[in-house]
């Protein structure tokens, strides 16, 4: 029998974008805009209590399933969601994520905080934080008009 364990962790990633909080919020709230920098959703219901769901992966790799529920939405200021992440049908983590959008001179400061429970070594906070950095860089490219 495999050893079962949970690793709890919190990480924070910050970005500055030369775009208004309204524009950054819209990049999260609109399914077409979000699909430019995040996996395309099979279900996208952006409202408190709504769900975002996607499943897929590379041709030779595992199938990842992202299943989120929106807990709080404050337009142009805050997005809070909880989500599970599965890999080939195995639950690898459960997280709560808070995205804060703060208007600053010349744009928006985004503060992304994730609090996660990572299961049985299938994923780690370090890998997730790296992926979050890649994801927020992709968002930045879209906001700059490069994608």
């Amino acid at each position: 029998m495999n050893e079962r364990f949970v690793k709890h962790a919190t990480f924070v990633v910050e970005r500055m974008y030369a775009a208004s909080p309204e524009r950054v919020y819209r990049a999260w709230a609109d399914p077409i805009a979000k699909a430019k920098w995040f996996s395309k959703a099979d279900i996208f219901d952006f409202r408190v209590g709504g769900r975002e769901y996607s499943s897929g992966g590379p041709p030779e790799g595992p199938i990842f399933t992202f299943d989120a529920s929106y807990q709080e939405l404050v337009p142009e200021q805050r997005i809070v969601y909880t989500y599970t992440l599965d890999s080939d049908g195995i639950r690898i983590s459960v997280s709560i994520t808070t995205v804060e959008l703060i208007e600053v001179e010349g744009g928006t400061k985004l503060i992304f905080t994730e609090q996660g429970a990572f299961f049985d070594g299938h994923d780690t906070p370090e890998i997730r934080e790296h992926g979050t950095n890649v994801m927020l860089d992709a968002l930045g490219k879209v906001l700059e008009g490069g994608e």
Side-chain angles (χ1 to χ4, degrees):
M1 183 169 149
N2 292 338
E3 180 185 353
R4 308 288 256 171
F5 63 95
V6 179
K7 183 171 185 179
H8 297 275
T10 299
F11 63 85
V12 179
V13 177
E14 297 184 5
R15 288 289 185 279
M16 297 292 293
Y17 298 121
S20 69
E22 177 185 14
R23 190 160 165 240
V24 177
Y25 187 85
R26 193 170 48 247
W28 288 80
D30 178 85
I32 295 168
K34 191 168 185 184
K36 293 178 181 177
W37 59 272
F38 194 76
S39 58
K40 185 179 183 309
D42 301 309
I43 299 169
F44 192 90
D45 183 12
F46 192 80
R47 63 179 175 84
V48 173
R51 182 177 182 210
E52 182 175 346
Y53 176 91
S54 63
S55 186
E60 302 290 323
I63 300 296
F64 288 99
T65 303
F66 171 83
D67 194 354
S69 179
Y70 291 101
Q71 304 298 328
E72 181 177 60
L73 299 171
V74 180
E76 302 170 21
Q77 295 178 42
R78 183 171 51 236
I79 301 165
V80 180
Y81 58 96
T82 53
Y83 75 96
T84 59
L85 189 62
D86 297 353
S87 175
D88 283 338
I90 297 169
R91 175 83 16 105
I92 64 174
S93 68
V94 176
S95 296
I96 179 170
T97 299
T98 303
V99 178
E100 298 170 85
L101 305 175
I102 301 164
E103 186 170 10
V104 295
E105 187 175 329
T108 302
K109 179 178 183 178
L110 181 147
I111 304 171
F112 182 105
T113 304
E114 183 162 337
Q115 300 165 281
F118 300 85
F119 304 133
D120 306 323
H122 297 295
D123 197 1
T124 68
E126 296 79 15
I127 291 170
R128 184 68 54 82
E129 184 174 355
H130 172 77
T132 299
N133 275 291
V134 170
M135 175 185 81
L136 294 177
D137 287 347
L139 170 58
K141 288 179 182 167
V142 168
L143 291 170
E144 291 170 7
E147 292 281 323

